[in-house]
Amino acid sequence: MIFKFGGQLQPVEIEEWEAERSPAVFVTDARHAEETLARAGIIYENEIRLEKIGFCKIENQQECVAGTLCIPKLLDVLNSRYRMFFFVNRYHIVIVDDEDFSLRLIRRIQRKRMHQGETKEQFLYNFIAEFMSRDQEMLVAYERRLLRMEEDVTQEHTETFQNRLMPIRRELLNLRSYYDEMMDLTKELEENENGFFLKKHLKYFGTLSDRADRLMSRTVHLLEYAQQVKEAYQAQIDARQNSNMQFLTVLSTIFFPLTLITGWFGMNFRDMPGLDNGYPAVMALSVIVILICIYIFKKKKII
């Protein structure tokens, strides 16, 4: 599909565009990528394989700017990504996408924005800003999940804490890497090494870079918050273990002298005093020892 630049993005037929040869955005799939690049006058020497895309990056070539986008899907941040190539020369933009994600973005731009694509710079700004538009909302959702987990820790509802926290940390780490890549990509566009963009419009890419920077800072903050929640959970676990150890220590301290007494009087030596009728005395001694231990523990506020 071809969209003409202008105040509004207008889809046109190939014959109509070829008759006018006006600047346009080409959206195609990998199977027709070479044909579309040739129609746009772009030469790309490397192989176009969308499944090999693993990063968001920019490659400045002599004839064009070639970029890849690897965008996490909001509902499955760890496992699923939208992958696409985009190419820019002095007049045209070519987007290679097998999932129609780019077409959905363009339709959203057509519905939401008054100035949709008067220039290449403005179109790229709208395109990148559109697929990043819901990220702030997504990070707020992560923050709410962490807040609920912190409340669960304070209320000692920690049965599934680790199973809930680990995916959140992994997803946030994944998003941090993604925003770092987007910062580098937008800065590369702003540097305009090939001179394909007008200097007065480079501010669009600076705005995108600032947005990616803010999103990454928010993600880093959430990672730190997740670590604090984990430390609070660990502190509660340690306190619970210390309480259990303290209880076991009290029991051991009480029963150790009792064990010594019963062991001593259980040897049954022939000349042992109290061998015949010492049972009440041993019972009394044991009770006295228990009371002394309890008094000491109370005084030291152990129990």
Side-chain angles (χ1 to χ4, degrees):
M1 185 171 287
I2 303 176
F3 296 87
K4 287 174 58 177
F5 283 121
Q8 306 290 322
L9 288 171
Q10 297 294 335
V12 296
E13 299 294 333
I14 294 177
E15 295 80 7
E16 181 183 349
W17 175 80
E18 288 181 340
E20 297 180 2
R21 285 289 177 175
S22 57
V25 178
F26 296 80
V27 181
T28 186
D29 55 22
R31 187 174 58 177
H32 301 94
E34 292 185 7
E35 175 187 348
T36 306
L37 287 173
R39 183 173 284 118
I42 295 175
I43 299 174
Y44 183 65
E45 300 175 352
N46 298 330
E47 188 178 11
I48 297 177
R49 297 184 62 183
L50 293 172
E51 68 275 8
K52 295 293 184 181
I53 296 176
F55 304 95
C56 301
K57 63 180 182 179
I58 283 288
E59 180 183 352
N60 289 297
Q61 298 189 354
Q62 188 172 359
E63 298 293 332
C64 68
V65 173
T68 60
L69 293 172
C70 190
I71 306 165
K73 295 183 180 180
L74 299 185
L75 297 179
D76 190 9
V77 172
L78 288 178
N79 300 314
S80 300
R81 298 234 172 176
Y82 295 110
R83 293 175 169 84
M84 65 184 77
F85 280 93
F86 69 93
F87 304 89
V88 184
N89 64 4
R90 292 192 180 277
Y91 304 104
H92 309 301
I93 298 174
V94 176
I95 300 173
V96 182
D97 176 18
D98 282 345
E99 299 187 56
D100 290 335
F101 178 61
S102 56
L103 284 176
R104 296 202 302 269
L105 290 175
I106 291 174
R107 292 189 184 107
R108 277 155 51 183
I109 292 170
Q110 289 175 319
R111 290 195 304 267
K112 293 165 59 175
R113 297 183 182 271
M114 292 293 296
H115 302 285
Q116 300 168 4
E118 297 178 354
T119 63
K120 299 192 305 295
E121 300 85 359
Q122 190 176 54
F123 172 80
L124 285 173
Y125 168 79
N126 288 334
F127 187 80
I128 296 174
E130 188 60 38
F131 67 70
M132 295 175 68
S133 62
R134 300 179 182 176
D135 290 24
Q136 187 68 31
E137 182 179 340
M138 176 183 61
L139 294 178
V140 170
Y142 278 112
E143 186 173 24
R144 289 173 180 167
R145 289 168 64 185
L146 290 171
L147 281 169
R148 286 195 296 268
M149 293 182 68
E150 186 177 31
E151 291 175 0
D152 290 342
V153 168
T154 58
Q155 297 173 7
E156 299 186 0
H157 300 157
T158 57
E159 294 80 7
T160 61
F161 180 86
Q162 292 285 13
N163 293 335
R164 293 162 58 196
L165 181 65
M166 291 306 296
I168 293 177
R169 294 188 71 250
R170 289 174 59 196
E171 290 171 13
L172 289 174
L173 286 169
N174 206 337
L175 289 171
R176 185 182 65 178
S177 299
Y178 163 62
Y179 294 134
D180 190 29
E181 294 166 14
M182 288 303 302
M183 282 180 58
D184 291 339
L185 184 147
T186 51
K187 286 179 179 178
E188 285 278 350
L189 290 173
E190 189 178 13
E191 287 176 5
N192 194 23
E193 183 177 327
N194 290 356
F196 291 154
F197 304 116
L198 297 177
K199 291 184 178 179
K200 64 180 181 179
H201 293 153
L202 293 179
K203 61 183 180 181
Y204 288 119
F205 304 132
T207 302
L208 291 173
S209 180
D210 291 341
R211 178 176 298 185
D213 187 20
R214 290 195 301 272
L215 289 171
M216 190 177 73
S217 299
R218 184 71 178 271
T219 306
V220 170
H221 167 72
L222 289 175
L223 280 169
E224 294 173 352
Y225 184 34
Q227 182 62 30
Q228 293 173 5
V229 174
K230 183 180 179 181
E231 290 173 356
Y233 164 76
Q234 191 61 48
Q236 188 180 87
I237 295 297
D238 292 342
R240 190 180 302 170
Q241 290 177 344
N242 289 338
S243 178
N244 293 336
M245 290 299 298
Q246 185 176 6
F247 176 72
L248 293 174
T249 301
V250 169
L251 289 180
S252 300
T253 305
I254 291 175
F255 280 98
F256 178 75
L258 298 180
T259 303
L260 179 62
I261 293 171
T262 55
W264 177 268
F265 284 96
M267 290 185 291
N268 297 328
F269 292 146
R270 179 178 302 173
D271 299 328
M272 177 180 290
L275 184 61
D276 295 330
N277 54 2
Y279 186 75
V282 172
M283 287 291 293
L285 179 60
S286 299
V287 171
I288 291 171
V289 168
I290 292 173
L291 293 175
I292 291 173
C293 290
I294 292 174
Y295 172 76
I296 294 173
F297 290 142
K298 287 285 187 179
K299 189 174 182 180
K300 292 184 176 292
K301 298 182 179 179
I302 297 177
I303 59 175

